[in-house]
Amino acid sequence: MDITGKTALVTGANRGLGRHLAAELRDRGARVYAASRDPQAVDLAGVTPIALDITNPASVAAAARAATRVAILVNNAGSPPGASLLTGDLAAIRLEMDTHFFGTLAVTRAFTPQLAAQGDSAVLNILSALSWLSIPRSGAYCAAKSAEWSLTNALRIELAPQGTRVTGLHVGYMDTDMIRHLDVAKSDPALIAKLAIDGIEAGDAEIIADETSRRVLAGLSTGVLGLYPQVA
Ligand SMILES: NC(=O)c1ccc[n+]([C@@H]2O[C@H](COP(=O)([O-])OP(=O)(O)OC[C@H]3O[C@@H](n4cnc5c(N)ncnc54)[C@H](OP(=O)(O)O)[C@@H]3O)[C@@H](O)[C@H]2O)c1
């Protein structure tokens, strides 16, 4: 896909990976809507801030009315991990699904007519290595990312006839606010954003953005006991 001159919309573009994705699209010649719950929090030059809370149907509908000619939709917004499925607050567990699954779905449905009208169009969903692997302390996040992965695959089939390619990006730990509290090796979100937009330009169906994701993907073929040896 030639990004130059295309219109893109990035959710959660005020900080973290979303801010880098919006900057990368802008630098490659796209006209960019930087969507945020608080548009005043968008501090990037050369983009158009737009209000969008992906869990609020009225906000999603208003953004789809306000933005025009969107050919590249980047579903990046995400709520932070935390809730255990067994002991976590049910409202926190629900928020993970409302954001990563229902929010991503609502935004994609709202922009599908615009994507169709552009013909050559793309949806990029920011997934995770945790779409494929569950860790107990963040079980709700993992379940939501897994559901978002399944959604990505269903929509890639449903959107293909209208000329919209759907790409899933899988990544492990990145250096953003989301996991600021974790003392682990983290990748640079600016580099992940470059890989992501390279993938959109190349028309890739899936982007495996780091070694952790590659390892977890390979681990799927080892079955449950390969992924979770502690329960063997
Ligand atoms: N960081 C990692 O290690 C990592 C690893 C794998 C995948 N990911 C995924 O990467 C994506 C970006 O995460 P990040 O690391 O950049 O996290 P982040 O720095 O915490 O940023 C999250 C962004 O999502 C926005 N957001 C949250 N809920 C929203 C809602 N209901 N409506 C609209 N925007 C909302 C936030 O907006 P506010 O500023 O208004 O809160 C913020 O802009 C997420 O999908 C995440 O699951 C992250």
Side-chain angles (χ1 to χ4, degrees):
M1 169 182 262
D2 182 4
I3 285 172
T4 316
K6 289 240 165 28
T7 300
L9 184 142
V10 181
T11 67
N14 53 304
R15 60 192 174 97
L17 178 64
R19 187 177 182 280
H20 289 290
L21 288 164
E24 193 63 34
L25 284 159
R26 176 202 61 191
D27 293 350
R28 297 194 198 193
R31 172 177 165 250
V32 178
Y33 289 109
S36 170
R37 290 193 276 208
D38 174 10
Q40 291 187 339
V42 175
D43 63 353
L44 275 179
V47 302
T48 306
I50 188 169
L52 176 56
D53 179 342
I54 69 167
T55 62
N56 178 332
S59 174
V60 172
R65 278 194 306 272
T68 56
R69 294 192 291 118
V70 171
I72 303 168
L73 171 65
V74 182
N75 287 308
N76 162 79
S79 47
S84 147
L85 284 172
L86 204 54
T87 58
D89 182 45
L90 270 181
I93 293 169
R94 239 179 250 288
L95 177 67
E96 299 285 19
M97 282 292 175
D98 282 345
T99 309
H100 297 280
F101 180 76
F102 288 108
T104 297
L105 180 60
V107 173
T108 307
R109 287 169 60 123
F111 280 92
T112 288
Q114 287 191 41
L115 296 166
Q118 299 309 310
D120 182 22
S121 54
V123 174
L124 169 64
N125 289 345
I126 304 302
L127 306 173
S128 173
L130 297 181
S131 300
W132 295 320
L133 181 75
S134 282
I135 52 175
R137 67 175 180 277
S138 300
Y141 177 87
C142 298
K145 281 312 214 190
S146 203
E148 192 183 2
W149 173 49
S150 182
L151 167 163
T152 301
N153 288 325
L155 293 184
R156 77 167 75 251
I157 298 164
E158 284 203 70
L159 289 171
Q162 72 168 40
T164 304
R165 278 183 307 283
V166 177
T167 303
L169 179 141
H170 296 264
V171 63
Y173 293 130
M174 277 186 297
D175 193 6
T176 67
D177 292 342
M178 186 169 277
I179 56 155
R180 193 160 297 292
H181 58 289
L182 292 182
D183 185 17
V184 292
K186 299 170 188 175
S187 51
D188 178 353
L191 295 181
I192 302 298
K194 282 190 200 306
L195 284 177
I197 309 306
D198 286 349
I200 294 303
E201 283 183 332
D204 291 343
E206 190 165 71
I207 301 164
I208 311 299
D210 66 355
E211 192 44 44
T212 301
S213 304
R214 257 185 291 281
R215 224 180 25 248
V216 175
L217 176 58
L220 289 176
S221 65
T222 64
V224 167
L225 294 185
L227 286 174
Y228 307 103
Q230 64 270 41
V231 299

